[in-house]
């Protein structure tokens, strides 16, 4: 199942402005990869950021939002950001489902 993880931080806690956040940010990818099995993360589909919006967007294929919540705590994302975890679908999957309902 695909999930969008939207992590928003304040300008004051931005890795560009805060050394603690910078250390966390620089280790995030490594920590996510080393904890994938533990939290049943199947795949990191994408990891993006909007610097001016102070937001990280991570697309994960995972078993559950609860596992992603625990991952965000374990790797430090939640220590500097407010996190929203949203189930998402690929456009093609939604189109296929809609067409099958006719």
């Amino acid at each position: 199942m695909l999930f969008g993880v939207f992590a928003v931080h304040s300008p004051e806690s931005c890795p560009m402005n805060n050394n603690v956040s910078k250390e966390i940010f620089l280790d995030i990818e490594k920590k996510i990869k080393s904890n994938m099995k533990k939290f049943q993360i199947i795949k990191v589909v994408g990891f993006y950021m909007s610097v001016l919006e102070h937001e990280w967007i991570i697309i994960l294929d995972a078993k559950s939002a609860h596992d992603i919540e625990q991952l965000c705590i374990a790797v430090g994302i939640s220590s500097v950001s407010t996190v929203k975890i949203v189930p998402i679908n690929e456009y093609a999957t939604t189109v296929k489902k809609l067409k099958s309902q006719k």
Side-chain angles (χ1 to χ4, degrees):
M1 181 175 222
L2 293 178
F3 293 90
V5 180
F6 301 88
V8 179
H9 55 266
S10 69
E12 297 79 23
S13 66
C14 181
M16 303 291 282
N17 305 320
N18 181 296
N19 286 333
V20 172
S21 295
K22 182 178 182 178
E23 287 181 35
I24 291 169
F25 179 75
L26 292 174
D27 287 338
I28 287 289
E29 185 177 29
K30 178 180 72 173
K31 286 183 176 181
I32 289 173
K33 286 181 179 179
S34 68
N35 281 284
M36 286 176 62
K37 188 174 184 177
K38 178 180 179 180
F39 295 107
Q40 300 185 69
I41 307 301
I42 299 161
K43 180 181 176 183
V44 176
V45 177
F47 192 160
Y48 309 94
M49 57 228 35
S50 174
V51 175
L52 295 179
E53 294 294 324
H54 300 283
E55 184 168 8
W56 305 345
I57 301 107
I58 309 167
I59 309 299
L60 298 174
D61 187 353
K63 298 278 184 178
S64 79
H66 294 289
D67 290 331
I68 295 171
E69 175 186 57
Q70 293 305 307
L71 174 76
C72 289
I73 293 167
V75 304
I77 294 171
S78 64
S79 67
V80 294
S81 298
T82 301
V83 179
K84 180 166 53 169
I85 302 164
V86 180
I88 59 175
N89 292 299
E90 291 181 349
Y91 175 78
T93 303
T94 303
V95 168
K96 184 177 177 181
K97 185 175 181 179
L98 289 172
K99 287 182 177 181
S100 72
Q101 293 176 349
K102 289 184 177 180

